[in-house]
Amino acid sequence: EVQLVESGGGLVKPGGSLRLSCAASGFIFSNTWMIWVRQAPGKGLEWVAHIETKTNGGTTSYAAPVKGRFTISRDDSKNTLYLQMNSLDTEDTGVYHCAAGMGDSWGQGTLVTVSS
Amino acid sequence: QSALTQPASVSGSPGQSITISCTGTSSDVGTYNVVSWYQQHSDKAPKLMIYEASKRPSGVSSRFSGSKSGNTASLTISGLQAEDEADYYCCSYAGSSTFVFGTGTKVTVL
């Protein structure tokens, strides 16, 4: 059974940092490109970042609002995806989901609240 | 990258068919067949319903179908059931390893 479990969310002040993790199981993680998607309270889904497999170069890409502040990475030896978030703003508040491939499977999400 | 445009809400009676549109541009939906649809029940994780515009993952009811024409993708739900009441989002590849979601549509079963 495919499982994605996010962790690392919490309350942080504007300008602060957080690192989210996504533990994957039930599929060949190293062969799967991954994405982060967020959802602000009462709002729609927003694509945040993408990372390719190491075989395909491990390239990364970011949505314009987070480019330069967020970094997506992966550790295939630990079957874990990460999202390092710096210079956080209140607009970054929301539930952050990791997903495998084109959203074949999703985690339940972890809540990030940016507030003073 | 602007969000794809979806109607805010669509409703139908049990047994009816409804269609949700997803309008993008020639930079996303119009160029790539990498369009997916997701169902999200309240406070739950999204679920993949359609991928590559018209393909259905195993386990998804055949009542769900997808299509694409030009810059617009569509999701049709046939034989509407109470359990179909949820939010639905489209998502398209937009080139250079970027993606864009739709604005979301709330489906109400009357």
Side-chain angles (χ1 to χ4, degrees):
Chain A
E1 180 196 1
V2 173
Q3 268 204 315
L4 295 168
V5 180
E6 301 93 339
S7 62
L11 175 63
V12 62
K13 288 181 168 48
S17 298
L18 274 180
R19 188 175 86 152
L20 307 183
S21 299
C22 168
S25 60
F27 64 102
I28 304 175
F29 180 74
S30 60
N31 287 356
T32 307
W33 51 272
M34 302 290 293
I35 61 175
W36 284 99
V37 174
R38 68 184 180 184
Q39 188 166 30
K43 303 294 186 182
L45 300 175
E46 180 186 19
W47 172 74
V48 172
H50 159 270
I51 186 165
E52 255 298 352
T53 64
K54 290 280 195 307
T55 302
N56 287 330
T59 53
T60 59
S61 54
Y62 301 91
V66 309
K67 200 168 187 177
R69 300 186 298 125
F70 289 12
T71 301
I72 187 173
S73 61
R74 63 190 301 155
D75 186 336
D76 291 344
S77 68
K78 295 181 179 179
N79 285 352
T80 301
L81 177 73
Y82 301 100
L83 185 68
Q84 176 67 43
M85 305 186 296
N86 299 330
S87 302
L88 283 162
D89 181 80
T90 55
E91 297 288 306
D92 297 315
T93 292
V95 175
Y96 284 70
H97 297 275
C98 61
M102 194 64 187
D104 302 13
S105 299
W106 295 68
Q108 285 299 314
T110 185
L111 176 62
V112 172
T113 303
V114 185
S115 175
S116 54
Chain B
Q1 188 70 41
S2 297
L4 308 175
T5 301
Q6 298 180 231
S9 62
V10 173
S11 61
S13 298
Q16 284 188 328
S17 293
I18 61 169
T19 296
I20 303 168
S21 60
C22 168
T23 302
T25 68
S26 57
S27 297
D28 38 63
V29 176
T31 295
Y32 304 100
N33 227 35
V34 186
V35 177
S36 300
W37 287 91
Y38 305 92
Q39 175 191 66
Q40 186 180 34
H41 286 107
S42 196
D43 294 329
K44 299 291 187 186
K47 176 187 175 183
L48 179 66
M49 306 303 284
I50 295 289
Y51 67 100
E52 291 179 11
S54 61
K55 297 179 181 178
R56 203 170 41 246
S58 62
V60 171
S61 171
S62 58
R63 298 185 297 104
F64 291 84
S65 62
S67 63
K68 196 191 85 164
S69 178
N71 295 341
T72 299
S74 298
L75 173 72
T76 296
I77 309 175
S78 306
L80 199 61
Q81 299 180 359
E83 68 207 48
D84 300 331
E85 189 160 290
D87 294 325
Y88 291 82
Y89 296 90
C90 60
C91 180
S92 174
Y93 182 68
S96 302
S97 297
T98 65
F99 300 84
V100 59
F101 276 92
T103 49
T105 298
K106 182 177 182 60
V107 169
T108 301
V109 181
L110 301 171

